[in-house]
């Protein structure tokens, strides 16, 4: 596993007045994700997450204009599509990622986001043409999900910077070693 140079860690720009991260839009997060990461796996992850952030920005913008079912449903469906694609990418990540505690938490956040969007799309009273989700509700869940993803990337980047961490091995490699050892034992018995 190639280690990135120490200077390429994922850090959010800090506002000097508030001493808090200065990214406050999904577009800003998307731009940051595209430029902040040097490791190839992290870069691919960030590009996928940036697509999710861009779609979230579109949804929030459209929900501010109208929550009417005919107008808001298509953008939420598009969000579901992007969310499913991103989740499929995350599921395919290697053992270095899957070994992190934050990996399972991020998958859970993605699943919860997907379920919530489905509930918002289905939960409409017959007399109400507006979807039950407000821009603020959507934004809150989207930022929480993106935060889980940012934490996962940060922990992965920190793992790469640790010199004492050996190359991760998959369960398949261990299983294969066990099978080879058993075959060699069996072969030795046959030769006697």
């Amino acid at each position: 596993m190639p280690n990135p140079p120490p200077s390429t860690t994922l850090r959010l720009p800090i506002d000097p007045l508030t001493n808090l991260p200065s990214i406050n839009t999904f577009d800003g997060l998307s731009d940051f994700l595209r430029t902040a990461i040097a490791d190839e796996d992290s870069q691919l992850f960030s590009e996928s997450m940036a697509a999710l952030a861009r779609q979230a920005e579109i949804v929030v913008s459209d929900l501010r204009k109208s929550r009417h079912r005919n107008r808001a449903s298509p953008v939420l469906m598009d969000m579901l599509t992007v969310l499913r694609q991103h989740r499929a990418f995350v599921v395919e990540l290697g053992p270095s990622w899957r070994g992190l505690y934050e990996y399972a938490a991020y998958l859970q956040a993605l699943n919860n986001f997907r379920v919530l969007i489905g509930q918002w799309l289905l939960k409409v009273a017959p007399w109400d043409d507006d979807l039950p989700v407000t821009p603020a509700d959507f934004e809150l869940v989207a930022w929480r999900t993106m935060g889980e993803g940012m934490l996962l990337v940060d922990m992965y980047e920190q793992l790469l910077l640790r010199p004492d961490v050996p190359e991760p091995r998959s369960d398949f490699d261990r299983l294969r070693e066990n099978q080879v050892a058993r075959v060699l034992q069996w072969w030795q018995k046959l030769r006697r």
Side-chain angles (χ1 to χ4, degrees), residues 8-29:
T8 60
T9 59
L10 179 65
R11 297 288 174 237
L12 293 171
I14 303 295
D15 182 341
L17 297 175
T18 63
N19 209 21
L20 296 172
S22 61
I23 295 176
N24 53 16
T25 66
F26 292 112
D27 283 337
L29 178 62

Side-chain angles (χ1 to χ4, degrees), residues 23-30 50-65 75 79 113 138-139 142-143 146:
I23 295 176
N24 53 16
T25 66
F26 292 112
D27 283 337
L29 178 62
S30 175
L52 194 63
R54 283 190 301 275
Q55 187 62 37
E57 188 71 34
I58 292 168
V59 172
V60 169
S61 174
D62 281 10
L63 285 174
R64 286 187 179 133
K65 293 175 190 169
V75 293
M79 183 69 193
F113 197 13
F138 181 86
E139 211 169 8
W143 275 115
M146 298 291 168

Side-chain angles (χ1 to χ4, degrees), residues 19-136:
N19 209 21
L20 296 172
S22 61
I23 295 176
N24 53 16
T25 66
F26 292 112
D27 283 337
L29 178 62
S30 175
D31 292 339
F32 171 74
L33 287 169
R34 278 195 309 269
T35 60
I37 299 172
D39 176 70
E40 184 180 352
D41 286 343
S42 298
Q43 187 67 39
L44 293 172
F45 181 92
S46 295
E47 288 170 10
S48 181
M49 198 168 147
L52 194 63
R54 283 190 301 275
Q55 187 62 37
E57 188 71 34
I58 292 168
V59 172
V60 169
S61 174
D62 281 10
L63 285 174
R64 286 187 179 133
K65 293 175 190 169
S66 172
R67 291 179 24 220
H68 193 273
R69 173 179 276 291
N70 293 340
R71 214 178 137 130
S73 293
V75 293
L76 283 173
M77 292 300 293
D78 291 343
M79 183 69 193
L80 274 177
T81 301
V82 173
L83 193 55
R84 284 185 186 119
Q85 290 168 347
H86 178 66
R87 186 187 176 283
F89 172 81
V90 171
V91 167
E92 294 296 320
L93 289 170
S96 300
W97 291 84
R98 289 192 304 262
L100 295 170
Y101 170 81
E102 292 77 12
Y103 176 83
Y106 185 52
L107 269 182
Q108 185 65 40
L110 290 172
N111 288 335
N112 289 343
F113 197 13
R114 187 175 47 101
V115 167
L116 260 175
I117 292 172
Q119 289 174 348
W120 289 329
L121 286 168
L122 293 175
K123 185 182 174 185
V124 175
W127 56 87
D128 191 5
D129 287 334
D130 285 346
L131 292 178
V133 60
T134 66

